[in-house]
Amino acid sequence: MSDIFNIFVRSVFIDNMVFAYFLGMCSYLAVSKDVKTAFGLGLAVSFVLAVTVPVNYLMDKYLLQAGALSWLGERFAAVDLSFLSLILFIAVIAGIVQLLEMVMERYLPALYMALGIFLPLIAVNCAILGGSLFMQEKNFPTVIHSFSYALGSGLGWLLAIVAFAAIRERLKFSNIPVPLRGNGIAYIITGLLGIGFMAFLGI
Amino acid sequence: MKKYLGPLSKDNPILVQTLGVCSALAVTAQMKPAVVMALSVTVVCAFSNLIISLLRNTIPPRIRIIVQLLVVSFFVILVDQLLQAMLYDVSKILSVFVGLIITNCIIMGRLEAFALSHKPIPSLMDGMMNGLGYGLVLVVVAFFRELLGSGTLWNHPVVPASWYAAGYMNNGLMILPPMALILVGVLIWAKNSLTS
């Protein structure tokens, strides 16, 4: 139980998707003009991560890894499909995002209106594929561990984009050298936030 | 020829369009992985642009994103397998970041903005130049990070031992991930001051 909680805290603060691995930077820079939209995108990313990573975990464990197909019988015990993981993961992600979009439109129209515009973007967000690839690298023992990792990473991403959007709203009123305005200062602030987050390393 | 050179300077994908930062900066602590990453992205970008351009009249618009993802992941798997076979130590350093080329926004961006509406050969050139423009930034960032952070270039020590004896120290901060962002910020600053 405690290691599940550990994985969660670690993925929110220490292995933060944005500050430690620069994942999802494109949408992070593009959709952080105001806090409300940033929060919407953050929620959508957390949601999609929390769904796709456990599914990809099961795919990895029962289809792709060396010997994963042994449940089909003796003959398949030696099959190693791990070279197919990239293509399968991205297909699973694109499929699930499409499916979520349709289910939400039908049953949760309010949530769909809030997240809807971000969902198609998310299929090509590197944080999502990155979550699945890191999950594969970390070799979690159970699907619960991978869920806790995904939820933590998603919330860490949410935290990062909301903090950054709040700073950006304040920046409108500050006196920045002209060539540095816009993207230049955005990168530098992200870097400084990242250094701040490194303080969590000791936990 | 001139229209293809834009991505190297005034339309640089990272500095101007802010695309493709996602999977890139984590690999710039040293020159070698940065160069390998830059070449991989160039190859994937050029060839997936070519294939999508060849298919552009047969892909139904509704499912084009999935088709693009499949073409790109095909090339990324090829690159990944090649790296694991021939440059195993570098592929260990790059770890998941090779796989993340699939979702690199430069590649998706060029496929959407160029390959879907242009002939194959210009698309191949466009993909290649954008990959190189991206690689240029990676290599510059990696140059400074490796030089200042570890005192080496391409794993060869370049800072003379006499400097260390005189009290020179490597700047450990440069090795940390956030410094890559700050360096890119400074590069943008320099570029904007020079061009405006």
Side-chain angles (χ1 to χ4, degrees), chain A residues 129-197:
Chain A
L129 181 62
S132 289
L133 291 176
F134 277 120
M135 169 277 292
Q136 193 187 27
E137 199 170 66
K138 282 175 200 273
N139 259 330
F140 292 120
T142 69
V143 69
I144 312 284
H145 288 78
S146 75
F147 175 72
S148 141
Y149 171 74
L151 198 66
S153 306
L155 290 180
W157 202 87
L158 172 79
L159 193 68
I161 193 170
V162 169
F164 183 59
I167 294 177
R168 257 191 148 174
E169 281 190 354
R170 301 285 303 170
L171 271 185
K172 283 180 203 148
F173 307 108
S174 47
N175 187 10
I176 304 162
V178 179
L180 199 55
R181 275 185 201 163
N183 284 326
I185 194 74
Y187 278 100
I188 293 182
I189 286 175
T190 311
L192 292 176
L193 277 172
I195 293 178
F197 260 68

Side-chain angles (χ1 to χ4, degrees), chain B residues 117-138:
Chain B
S117 55
H118 288 79
K119 291 213 163 70
I121 298 300
S123 302
L124 181 71
M125 287 297 290
D126 180 79
M128 203 172 78
M129 292 322 273
N130 273 284
L132 288 177
Y134 159 92
L136 188 70
V137 176
L138 277 202

Side-chain angles (χ1 to χ4, degrees), chain A residues 22 26 83 126 137 179 183 187 191, chain B residues 18 21-22 81 95 105 177-178 192:
Chain A
F22 314 107
C26 307
F83 71 97
C126 4
E137 199 170 66
N183 284 326
Y187 278 100
Chain B
T18 50
V21 207
C22 323
Q81 299 288 318
S95 70
C105 337
N192 284 348

